[in-house]
Amino acid sequence: MTPQDPLAQLRDIQLPATGGWWPPAPGWWLLALAVVLCVLAASWFAVRQHRKHLWKRTSRHELARLKQSAAPTPEWFAGINALLKRTARQAFPDRHPEALTGQQWIEFLLETAPRDRIASRPVVEGMVASAWQPRPSVQPDQALDFARAWMEAVS
C-alpha cells in the first residue's frame, strides 16, 4: 500500500453511539406520572380514612379507660353516658342524640342497639338512671358490656 492509496485512509464502519438511559422516552415519563398520581391518591385516601375513623378509635380507648376505672358511682355512669353520647353524635349526626335525656335517650339507645333490645332495656334504664342516683341499679360490667356491643354495632 502506498501512502497515496486513498483506500488505505478509509476506516471501518463506525456505528453511532447508543442512546443513554437519560432522558427517558415519553412512555416512561407517562408511566412515572401515573405512578406518582396513584401514590398521591392512595395516601390521600388513607389519610382520609384514618381521620374518618379517628372517633371510633378514640371511643374504644375511652371505653378501655372506663373499664379500668369501673366503679358503681354516679360519676362513672355519667362518664359512660357521655361517651355513648359522643359516639352517637358521630354515628348519627342528623338525629342530634347529644340533646336527648332521660327516656328519650333510653329509647334512642334501644332503637339503635344491635340485638336483644328487650333484654337490654333494664341495663340501659339502670345505666342512664345511675348517672344521677346515689345507688346504681346496674353493675358497671353490665353497662360496659352493653356499651361495647352498642359501639361496635354503630361503628
Side-chain angles (χ1 to χ4, degrees), residues 52-154:
K52 182 179 176 182
H53 299 294
L54 179 64
W55 66 272
K56 293 177 187 177
R57 289 189 303 279
T58 305
S59 295
R60 288 186 191 117
H61 290 302
E62 180 73 17
L63 188 65
R65 189 187 64 75
L66 282 170
K67 184 178 182 179
Q68 293 295 325
S69 65
T73 63
E75 294 82 18
W76 187 85
F77 282 102
I80 200 162
N81 274 301
L83 171 63
L84 291 177
K85 283 192 180 195
R86 285 192 303 270
T87 304
R89 181 178 56 220
Q90 292 294 326
F92 305 100
D94 55 332
R95 296 179 64 183
H96 304 288
E98 67 275 5
L100 301 176
T101 58
Q103 193 61 35
Q104 293 174 330
W105 175 235
I106 292 169
E107 293 303 323
F108 176 82
L109 286 173
L110 291 173
E111 176 185 328
T112 56
R115 53 180 160 57
D116 299 333
R117 292 180 181 154
I118 295 172
S120 298
R121 180 171 283 282
V123 174
V124 174
E125 287 175 345
M127 182 178 63
V128 171
S130 294
W132 53 269
Q133 290 179 344
R135 295 176 56 178
S137 57
V138 295
Q139 295 300 317
D141 59 339
Q142 293 173 317
L144 283 168
D145 290 341
F146 173 80
R148 185 178 305 106
W150 185 83
M151 286 171 56
E152 290 300 321
V154 299

Side-chain angles (χ1 to χ4, degrees), residues 28-47:
W28 289 110
W29 284 108
L30 291 175
L31 180 65
L33 180 64
V35 166
V36 166
L37 288 176
C38 286
V39 167
L40 287 175
S43 62
W44 176 77
F45 182 73
V47 167

